[in-house]
Short mmCIF file of all heavy atoms in Angstrom, two decimals:
data_model
loop_
_atom_site.label_atom_id
_atom_site.label_comp_id
_atom_site.label_asym_id
_atom_site.label_seq_id
_atom_site.Cartn_x
_atom_site.Cartn_y
_atom_site.Cartn_z
N PRO A 1 48.94 -22.72 -31.10
CA PRO A 1 49.59 -23.25 -32.31
C PRO A 1 49.61 -24.78 -32.36
O PRO A 1 49.85 -25.34 -33.44
CB PRO A 1 51.02 -22.70 -32.22
CG PRO A 1 51.00 -21.65 -31.17
CD PRO A 1 49.91 -22.03 -30.23
N LEU A 2 49.41 -25.44 -31.23
CA LEU A 2 49.53 -26.90 -31.20
C LEU A 2 48.41 -27.59 -31.97
O LEU A 2 48.62 -28.68 -32.53
CB LEU A 2 49.56 -27.41 -29.76
CG LEU A 2 50.78 -27.01 -28.93
CD1 LEU A 2 50.74 -27.71 -27.57
CD2 LEU A 2 52.08 -27.36 -29.66
N PHE A 3 47.21 -27.01 -31.99
CA PHE A 3 46.09 -27.66 -32.69
C PHE A 3 46.39 -27.86 -34.18
O PHE A 3 46.27 -28.98 -34.68
CB PHE A 3 44.81 -26.84 -32.49
CG PHE A 3 44.32 -26.80 -31.08
CD1 PHE A 3 44.18 -25.60 -30.41
CD2 PHE A 3 43.99 -27.98 -30.40
CE1 PHE A 3 43.73 -25.56 -29.10
CE2 PHE A 3 43.54 -27.95 -29.09
CZ PHE A 3 43.42 -26.73 -28.44
N PRO A 4 46.80 -26.83 -34.92
CA PRO A 4 47.14 -27.08 -36.34
C PRO A 4 48.37 -27.95 -36.51
O PRO A 4 48.48 -28.67 -37.50
CB PRO A 4 47.36 -25.67 -36.91
CG PRO A 4 47.60 -24.79 -35.74
CD PRO A 4 46.83 -25.38 -34.61
N LEU A 5 49.31 -27.91 -35.55
CA LEU A 5 50.48 -28.78 -35.64
C LEU A 5 50.07 -30.24 -35.52
O LEU A 5 50.54 -31.11 -36.28
CB LEU A 5 51.49 -28.42 -34.55
CG LEU A 5 52.73 -29.32 -34.49
CD1 LEU A 5 53.54 -29.22 -35.79
CD2 LEU A 5 53.60 -28.95 -33.29
N ILE A 6 49.17 -30.53 -34.58
CA ILE A 6 48.68 -31.90 -34.42
C ILE A 6 47.93 -32.34 -35.68
O ILE A 6 48.08 -33.48 -36.15
CB ILE A 6 47.77 -31.99 -33.18
CG1 ILE A 6 48.60 -31.78 -31.91
CG2 ILE A 6 47.05 -33.34 -33.12
CD1 ILE A 6 47.79 -31.62 -30.65
N ALA A 7 47.13 -31.44 -36.25
CA ALA A 7 46.43 -31.76 -37.49
C ALA A 7 47.41 -32.08 -38.61
O ALA A 7 47.21 -33.03 -39.39
CB ALA A 7 45.53 -30.59 -37.90
N PHE A 8 48.49 -31.30 -38.68
CA PHE A 8 49.52 -31.56 -39.69
C PHE A 8 50.11 -32.97 -39.53
O PHE A 8 50.24 -33.71 -40.51
CB PHE A 8 50.63 -30.51 -39.57
CG PHE A 8 51.92 -30.88 -40.24
CD1 PHE A 8 52.04 -30.88 -41.62
CD2 PHE A 8 53.03 -31.24 -39.48
CE1 PHE A 8 53.23 -31.22 -42.23
CE2 PHE A 8 54.23 -31.58 -40.08
CZ PHE A 8 54.33 -31.58 -41.46
N LEU A 9 50.45 -33.34 -38.31
CA LEU A 9 51.04 -34.65 -38.07
C LEU A 9 50.06 -35.78 -38.39
O LEU A 9 50.43 -36.79 -39.00
CB LEU A 9 51.51 -34.75 -36.61
CG LEU A 9 52.63 -33.77 -36.20
CD1 LEU A 9 52.89 -33.85 -34.71
CD2 LEU A 9 53.90 -34.05 -37.00
N ILE A 10 48.80 -35.61 -37.99
CA ILE A 10 47.78 -36.63 -38.25
C ILE A 10 47.57 -36.79 -39.75
O ILE A 10 47.54 -37.91 -40.29
CB ILE A 10 46.47 -36.28 -37.54
CG1 ILE A 10 46.63 -36.37 -36.03
CG2 ILE A 10 45.34 -37.20 -38.02
CD1 ILE A 10 45.43 -35.88 -35.25
N LEU A 11 47.40 -35.67 -40.45
CA LEU A 11 47.12 -35.72 -41.88
C LEU A 11 48.30 -36.25 -42.68
O LEU A 11 48.12 -36.96 -43.68
CB LEU A 11 46.74 -34.32 -42.37
CG LEU A 11 45.38 -33.81 -41.88
CD1 LEU A 11 45.24 -32.32 -42.16
CD2 LEU A 11 44.25 -34.58 -42.56
N LEU A 12 49.50 -35.90 -42.24
CA LEU A 12 50.68 -36.39 -42.96
C LEU A 12 50.85 -37.89 -42.75
O LEU A 12 51.20 -38.61 -43.70
CB LEU A 12 51.93 -35.64 -42.47
CG LEU A 12 53.13 -35.64 -43.43
CD1 LEU A 12 52.77 -34.94 -44.73
CD2 LEU A 12 54.33 -34.96 -42.78
N ALA A 13 50.60 -38.34 -41.52
CA ALA A 13 50.74 -39.78 -41.25
C ALA A 13 49.67 -40.60 -41.97
O ALA A 13 49.93 -41.72 -42.42
CB ALA A 13 50.66 -40.03 -39.74
N GLY A 14 48.45 -40.05 -42.09
CA GLY A 14 47.36 -40.80 -42.71
C GLY A 14 46.96 -40.28 -44.07
O GLY A 14 45.80 -40.41 -44.47
N ARG A 15 47.91 -39.71 -44.78
CA ARG A 15 47.58 -39.05 -46.05
C ARG A 15 47.00 -40.01 -47.08
O ARG A 15 46.25 -39.60 -47.96
CB ARG A 15 48.80 -38.35 -46.62
CG ARG A 15 49.97 -39.25 -46.94
CD ARG A 15 51.21 -38.43 -47.34
NE ARG A 15 52.36 -39.26 -47.66
CZ ARG A 15 53.17 -39.76 -46.77
NH1 ARG A 15 52.96 -39.54 -45.49
NH2 ARG A 15 54.21 -40.51 -47.14
N ASN A 16 47.36 -41.30 -46.98
CA ASN A 16 46.84 -42.27 -47.95
C ASN A 16 45.59 -42.97 -47.45
O ASN A 16 44.96 -43.72 -48.20
CB ASN A 16 47.92 -43.32 -48.27
CG ASN A 16 49.13 -42.71 -48.93
OD1 ASN A 16 49.00 -41.80 -49.75
ND2 ASN A 16 50.32 -43.19 -48.59
N ALA A 17 45.24 -42.74 -46.19
CA ALA A 17 44.10 -43.44 -45.60
C ALA A 17 42.87 -42.55 -45.49
O ALA A 17 41.74 -43.03 -45.54
CB ALA A 17 44.47 -43.97 -44.20
N PHE A 18 43.07 -41.23 -45.34
CA PHE A 18 41.94 -40.32 -45.13
C PHE A 18 41.24 -39.98 -46.44
O PHE A 18 41.89 -39.78 -47.47
CB PHE A 18 42.40 -39.03 -44.47
CG PHE A 18 42.85 -39.20 -43.05
CD1 PHE A 18 43.93 -38.47 -42.56
CD2 PHE A 18 42.22 -40.08 -42.20
CE1 PHE A 18 44.34 -38.61 -41.25
CE2 PHE A 18 42.61 -40.23 -40.89
CZ PHE A 18 43.69 -39.51 -40.41
N SER A 19 39.93 -39.92 -46.37
CA SER A 19 39.17 -39.42 -47.51
C SER A 19 39.28 -37.90 -47.56
O SER A 19 39.76 -37.26 -46.61
CB SER A 19 37.70 -39.83 -47.39
OG SER A 19 37.10 -39.17 -46.27
N GLN A 20 38.80 -37.29 -48.63
CA GLN A 20 38.86 -35.84 -48.75
C GLN A 20 38.04 -35.16 -47.66
O GLN A 20 38.48 -34.16 -47.07
CB GLN A 20 38.35 -35.42 -50.13
CG GLN A 20 39.25 -35.88 -51.27
CD GLN A 20 38.80 -35.36 -52.62
OE1 GLN A 20 37.88 -34.56 -52.72
NE2 GLN A 20 39.45 -35.82 -53.68
N ASN A 21 36.85 -35.70 -47.38
CA ASN A 21 36.02 -35.10 -46.34
C ASN A 21 36.67 -35.21 -44.97
O ASN A 21 36.61 -34.28 -44.16
CB ASN A 21 34.64 -35.77 -46.32
CG ASN A 21 33.79 -35.37 -47.51
OD1 ASN A 21 34.01 -34.31 -48.10
ND2 ASN A 21 32.83 -36.21 -47.86
N THR A 22 37.29 -36.35 -44.68
CA THR A 22 37.95 -36.53 -43.39
C THR A 22 39.10 -35.54 -43.22
O THR A 22 39.27 -34.93 -42.16
CB THR A 22 38.48 -37.97 -43.25
OG1 THR A 22 37.39 -38.89 -43.41
CG2 THR A 22 39.11 -38.19 -41.88
N ALA A 23 39.90 -35.40 -44.28
CA ALA A 23 41.01 -34.45 -44.22
C ALA A 23 40.51 -33.03 -43.98
O ALA A 23 41.08 -32.28 -43.17
CB ALA A 23 41.81 -34.51 -45.52
N ALA A 24 39.42 -32.66 -44.65
CA ALA A 24 38.85 -31.33 -44.48
C ALA A 24 38.35 -31.14 -43.04
O ALA A 24 38.54 -30.07 -42.44
CB ALA A 24 37.71 -31.10 -45.47
N TRP A 25 37.74 -32.17 -42.48
CA TRP A 25 37.24 -32.07 -41.10
C TRP A 25 38.40 -31.94 -40.11
O TRP A 25 38.34 -31.11 -39.19
CB TRP A 25 36.40 -33.30 -40.77
CG TRP A 25 34.95 -33.14 -41.11
CD1 TRP A 25 34.29 -33.62 -42.21
CD2 TRP A 25 33.98 -32.41 -40.36
NE1 TRP A 25 32.98 -33.24 -42.21
CE2 TRP A 25 32.75 -32.50 -41.07
CE3 TRP A 25 34.02 -31.68 -39.18
CZ2 TRP A 25 31.58 -31.90 -40.61
CZ3 TRP A 25 32.84 -31.08 -38.72
CH2 TRP A 25 31.66 -31.20 -39.43
N VAL A 26 39.43 -32.73 -40.29
CA VAL A 26 40.57 -32.68 -39.36
C VAL A 26 41.20 -31.29 -39.38
O VAL A 26 41.43 -30.66 -38.33
CB VAL A 26 41.61 -33.75 -39.72
CG1 VAL A 26 42.89 -33.55 -38.90
CG2 VAL A 26 41.05 -35.15 -39.46
N GLY A 27 41.48 -30.77 -40.57
CA GLY A 27 42.10 -29.45 -40.68
C GLY A 27 41.21 -28.34 -40.16
O GLY A 27 41.66 -27.44 -39.43
N SER A 28 39.92 -28.39 -40.49
CA SER A 28 39.00 -27.33 -40.10
C SER A 28 38.74 -27.33 -38.60
O SER A 28 38.67 -26.25 -37.97
CB SER A 28 37.68 -27.47 -40.86
OG SER A 28 37.88 -27.39 -42.26
N VAL A 29 38.58 -28.51 -38.00
CA VAL A 29 38.33 -28.59 -36.56
C VAL A 29 39.54 -28.07 -35.78
O VAL A 29 39.40 -27.35 -34.79
CB VAL A 29 37.98 -30.03 -36.14
CG1 VAL A 29 37.99 -30.18 -34.62
CG2 VAL A 29 36.61 -30.41 -36.69
N ALA A 30 40.74 -28.42 -36.24
CA ALA A 30 41.95 -27.93 -35.57
C ALA A 30 42.02 -26.41 -35.63
O ALA A 30 42.33 -25.74 -34.63
CB ALA A 30 43.19 -28.54 -36.22
N ALA A 31 41.71 -25.84 -36.80
CA ALA A 31 41.71 -24.38 -36.94
C ALA A 31 40.62 -23.75 -36.07
O ALA A 31 40.82 -22.67 -35.49
CB ALA A 31 41.52 -23.99 -38.40
N LEU A 32 39.47 -24.41 -35.96
CA LEU A 32 38.39 -23.89 -35.13
C LEU A 32 38.79 -23.88 -33.65
O LEU A 32 38.47 -22.93 -32.92
CB LEU A 32 37.13 -24.73 -35.32
CG LEU A 32 35.89 -24.31 -34.52
CD1 LEU A 32 35.48 -22.88 -34.89
CD2 LEU A 32 34.74 -25.28 -34.77
N LEU A 33 39.49 -24.92 -33.20
CA LEU A 33 39.96 -24.95 -31.81
C LEU A 33 40.95 -23.81 -31.55
O LEU A 33 40.91 -23.17 -30.49
CB LEU A 33 40.60 -26.30 -31.51
CG LEU A 33 39.64 -27.50 -31.47
CD1 LEU A 33 40.42 -28.81 -31.36
CD2 LEU A 33 38.67 -27.37 -30.30
N SER A 34 41.83 -23.55 -32.52
CA SER A 34 42.75 -22.42 -32.38
C SER A 34 41.99 -21.11 -32.35
O SER A 34 42.33 -20.19 -31.58
CB SER A 34 43.76 -22.41 -33.53
OG SER A 34 44.66 -23.49 -33.43
#
């Protein structure tokens, strides 16, 4: 469960800095690790 939790924290902290593709990669890679 920690992988998607870390993705949540990263995406929430950088919500104004990440592009759409970056956000999709962060979320998808975390889910893939889980």
Side-chain angles (χ1 to χ4, degrees):
L2 294 186
F3 294 121
L5 177 63
I6 292 170
F8 162 72
L9 296 173
I10 292 173
L11 290 167
L12 202 62
R15 61 187 180 278
N16 296 322
F18 291 143
S19 66
Q20 293 185 6
N21 288 336
T22 303
W25 271 101
V26 171
S28 300
V29 169
L32 180 60
L33 291 172
S34 291

